[in-house]
Amino acid sequence: MKRIAIQGERGSFHDIAAHAYFTDEQVQLTCCTTFEEVFEKVGEDPTAIAMLAIENTIAGSLLHNYELLRASGTTVVGEQRLHIQHCICCLPDDDWSTVVEVHSHPVALMQCRSFLGNHPGIKAVEAEDTAGAAAYIAQKQCRGWAAICSAEAARLYGMKILEDSIEDNKHNFTRFLVACHPHKADFLRPLTEVDKASIVFSLPHEEGSLSKVLTILSFYDINLTKIQSLPVIGHEWEYLFYVDLTFDNLTRYRQSIDAITPLVKSIKILGEYREH
Amino acid sequence: MKRIAIQGERGSFHDIAAHAYFTDEQVQLTCCTTFEEVFEKVGEDPTAIAMLAIENTIAGSLLHNYELLRASGTTVVGEQRLHIQHCICCLPDDDWSTVVEVHSHPVALMQCRSFLGNHPGIKAVEAEDTAGAAAYIAQKQCRGWAAICSAEAARLYGMKILEDSIEDNKHNFTRFLVACHPHKADFLRPLTEVDKASIVFSLPHEEGSLSKVLTILSFYDINLTKIQSLPVIGHEWEYLFYVDLTFDNLTRYRQSIDAITPLVKSIKILGEYREH
């Protein structure tokens, strides 16, 4: 049995991602309101596992989650990709003619902008969570209210789906990371299966400092699958680089990290895991 | 006189950025509902200029705007950084005891999450625009409604500021780009003043292909101030790289572009401009 801390309620995309990742196992969810709370839970309970969205094909990287991950003391042990599809749902006795408000997470509302634009009579109201909005409407029997959430959440809370796949862009994928206490990492993914790593390093604002690091990585046959620079807040000329690497040989990867370490200002391995 | 197309209303952060950039000039705004419409306006009127947010220190890059920019046929001729501060405002006769709803753009609502969490009695409702929400409340005299917007917008629409600087993170900066028809570029920024460029290129998923490109740029004394990779939708093993470059010597920069061109799958100069 795995205890997974997620942001959101049962039926949320984090819940779906957790079940997709731990597909053959029993999952016990700890539902949190914020990502900060997710990491607090994992800090309090060393057997708990965090599941958190890190990037979306439309919204981009969740920079705040990168920051939380970096500061959390947890390590990444896995990743899960999920196709994000939104439906609009309401109480069984409501329908298009009676719905006046739609509640959801602001990101979900944004991802259904064209749809909402075609329904100007329905007011879009922010909620903490997609599935949480459906749960609230079902529990409080809010007539005239709809939620935007996954079809799984709609079914879970006994809501009627008015329309499915209402997201503007059908290429809507989110990548989730699985993180836990470092002592638990080897239990969750054997090191022999590791072929991907997420690292973050900082570099001084010097010509060519990034190219040196990437050249060394390429000499060691390490692939880059993602790179994102961020200015370090308060240090205007310093940059953080979040980089995902894939490799065939764990030893070569470890050697490449040793080789770039003297050339960076600071470096942190966010985790080593198996590519999804 | 400059005709500037922005997403949002008068008093929006795009408006403030436009006036900050064209500080000594008369600005005539064309207010659009979407960024798509901004580029349509500039497409229809070759003398019009687009001003668009491209990244925020908290929310990250606006990937959709990068896509629109790449497809638009316009060229970037300038950039503007702006410190983003939100206030909550209402009609002069309302106050904390009478406000029951707060309306704003979903990104602004997200950036004031802690503040909203401390006021659970106020319902957060999505609007198209921060300043637009204030304008609507003022025009329709919506008693009990508040808006989250800039203090400038609150004053512009005669609203009462209940509290200023309500954003969770005070290091909230947005970078805006100024884009126009390529024929107009030299008129808006003399090439002699150019010391920065934004480019986008794609690379095959090959070990070391990015490091080769960055090494060549460093040989030509070109600095990287931003790099962001994006998977090409529909081509799983291909990546787009959005890169910002700074340099002292325009000729050397042009030579470096010639030098990397044979090594990339495709390359596009989004614009050449003066660093803010």
Side-chain angles (χ1 to χ4, degrees):
Chain A
M1 206 265 297
K2 297 280 186 288
R3 258 208 295 282
I4 319 283
I6 62 165
Q7 190 264 322
E9 298 286 322
R10 282 178 62 217
S12 67
F13 292 105
H14 279 89
D15 175 11
I16 297 168
H19 280 89
Y21 187 79
F22 295 105
T23 183
D24 295 324
E25 303 195 54
Q26 237 192 314
V27 167
Q28 188 188 49
L29 288 183
T30 305
C31 296
C32 304
T33 312
T34 63
F35 288 107
E36 282 83 353
E37 202 186 327
V38 169
F39 283 108
E40 274 166 31
K41 294 288 179 212
V42 177
E44 287 162 11
D45 174 2
T47 67
I49 298 164
M51 188 91 192
L52 77 159
I54 201 72
E55 61 183 317
N56 173 272
T57 44
I58 296 157
S61 291
L62 283 84
L63 301 182
H64 185 57
N65 285 0
Y66 265 120
E67 283 303 299
L68 290 175
L69 187 64
R70 195 162 64 94
S72 70
T74 64
T75 191
V76 178
V77 291
E79 66 174 355
Q80 178 69 39
R81 280 170 212 279
L82 198 69
H83 188 191
I84 304 294
Q85 288 181 294
H86 297 294
C87 80
I88 180 167
C89 60
C90 59
L91 290 172
D93 291 340
D94 270 323
D95 56 40
W96 283 118
S97 64
T98 55
V99 166
V100 291
E101 285 190 7
V102 58
H103 294 238
S104 196
H105 189 277
V107 171
L109 294 174
M110 274 202 286
Q111 293 182 343
C112 301
R113 236 162 198 221
S114 302
F115 173 85
L116 292 170
N118 292 333
H119 295 83
I122 304 181
K123 183 193 275 195
V125 179
E126 184 186 286
E128 295 264 328
D129 177 46
T130 55
Y136 184 88
I137 294 169
Q139 194 196 338
K140 304 270 183 190
Q141 288 289 303
C142 304
R143 288 294 305 268
W145 286 21
I148 289 177
C149 60
S150 65
E152 286 87 341
R155 280 190 285 270
L156 183 66
Y157 297 112
M159 300 280 280
K160 179 166 82 179
I161 295 175
L162 288 172
E163 191 171 332
D164 202 358
S165 301
I166 61 167
E167 66 280 0
D168 300 344
N169 188 325
K170 304 302 170 196
H171 289 283
N172 189 348
F173 290 84
T174 296
R175 180 173 161 243
F176 297 84
L177 295 180
V178 183
C180 69
H181 193 277
H183 292 325
K184 236 199 143 192
D186 288 340
F187 175 70
L188 284 166
R189 55 103 186 91
L191 260 186
T192 49
E193 289 185 0
V194 162
D195 60 2
K196 187 167 183 180
S198 292
I199 66 173
V200 52
F201 54 84
S202 68
L203 286 175
H205 184 69
E206 248 172 46
E207 271 162 31
S209 51
L210 178 62
S211 80
K212 286 178 194 168
V213 168
L214 299 192
T215 300
I216 289 176
L217 291 175
S218 83
F219 287 167
Y220 280 81
D221 300 329
I222 310 296
N223 284 312
L224 259 77
T225 60
K226 179 180 178 174
I227 180 165
Q228 162 126 35
S229 69
L230 278 186
V232 180
I233 289 172
H235 295 80
E236 213 181 324
W237 294 109
E238 213 177 303
Y239 289 84
L240 275 184
F241 295 87
Y242 285 96
V243 174
D244 286 346
L245 308 170
T246 58
F247 43 85
D248 297 325
N249 184 322
L250 185 67
T251 306
R252 268 278 178 271
Y253 151 73
R254 291 268 166 91
Q255 290 166 339
S256 76
I257 298 296
D258 290 344
I260 64 173
T261 299
L263 297 180
V264 300
K265 277 196 76 167
S266 66
I267 185 165
K268 189 177 166 83
I269 312 286
L270 296 174
E272 296 160 347
Y273 49 99
R274 188 188 171 89
E275 189 174 17
H276 181 214
Chain B
M1 207 265 296
K2 297 281 186 286
R3 258 207 297 280
I4 318 282
I6 61 166
Q7 188 264 323
E9 297 287 319
R10 280 179 64 218
S12 67
F13 292 104
H14 279 91
D15 175 11
I16 297 169
H19 280 89
Y21 186 81
F22 295 104
T23 183
D24 295 326
E25 302 194 55
Q26 237 191 314
V27 167
Q28 188 190 47
L29 289 184
T30 305
C31 296
C32 304
T33 312
T34 63
F35 287 107
E36 280 83 352
E37 201 186 328
V38 169
F39 283 107
E40 274 167 28
K41 294 288 179 210
V42 176
E44 287 161 11
D45 174 2
T47 68
I49 298 164
M51 187 91 191
L52 78 158
I54 201 74
E55 62 183 317
N56 174 271
T57 44
I58 296 158
S61 290
L62 284 85
L63 301 183
H64 184 59
N65 285 0
Y66 265 119
E67 283 302 301
L68 290 176
L69 187 63
R70 196 162 62 95
S72 70
T74 65
T75 191
V76 178
V77 292
E79 66 175 356
Q80 178 70 39
R81 280 170 213 278
L82 198 68
H83 187 191
I84 304 294
Q85 289 181 293
H86 296 294
C87 80
I88 179 167
C89 60
C90 59
L91 291 173
D93 291 341
D94 271 322
D95 56 40
W96 283 118
S97 64
T98 55
V99 166
V100 291
E101 284 190 8
V102 58
H103 294 239
S104 195
H105 189 276
V107 171
L109 294 174
M110 274 202 285
Q111 292 181 344
C112 301
R113 242 174 189 210
S114 303
F115 173 85
L116 293 170
N118 293 332
H119 295 82
I122 303 179
K123 182 192 275 196
V125 180
E126 185 186 287
E128 296 265 327
D129 177 46
T130 56
Y136 184 89
I137 294 169
Q139 194 197 337
K140 304 272 182 187
Q141 289 288 301
C142 303
R143 288 296 303 268
W145 286 20
I148 289 178
C149 59
S150 67
E152 286 87 342
R155 280 190 286 271
L156 184 66
Y157 297 111
M159 300 280 278
K160 179 165 81 177
I161 295 176
L162 288 173
E163 191 173 332
D164 203 357
S165 300
I166 61 167
E167 65 281 1
D168 300 343
N169 188 325
K170 304 304 170 193
H171 289 282
N172 189 347
F173 289 84
T174 296
R175 179 171 162 246
F176 296 84
L177 295 180
V178 184
C180 69
H181 194 276
H183 292 326
K184 236 199 144 192
D186 288 340
F187 175 69
L188 284 166
R189 55 102 186 93
L191 260 186
T192 50
E193 289 184 2
V194 162
D195 60 1
K196 187 167 183 179
S198 293
I199 66 174
V200 53
F201 54 84
S202 67
L203 286 175
H205 184 68
E206 249 171 46
E207 271 162 30
S209 52
L210 179 62
S211 81
K212 286 178 194 167
V213 168
L214 299 191
T215 300
I216 290 175
L217 292 175
S218 84
F219 287 166
Y220 279 82
D221 300 328
I222 310 296
N223 284 309
L224 257 78
T225 62
K226 179 180 179 175
I227 180 164
Q228 162 127 34
S229 68
L230 277 186
V232 180
I233 289 172
H235 295 78
E236 213 181 323
W237 294 107
E238 211 176 304
Y239 289 84
L240 275 183
F241 295 87
Y242 284 97
V243 174
D244 285 348
L245 307 170
T246 60
F247 43 84
D248 297 326
N249 184 322
L250 184 67
T251 306
R252 269 278 178 270
Y253 151 73
R254 292 269 166 91
Q255 290 166 338
S256 76
I257 298 295
D258 290 343
I260 64 172
T261 299
L263 299 181
V264 299
K265 277 196 75 164
S266 65
I267 184 165
K268 188 177 166 87
I269 312 286
L270 296 173
E272 296 160 346
Y273 49 99
R274 188 188 173 90
E275 189 173 17
H276 180 214

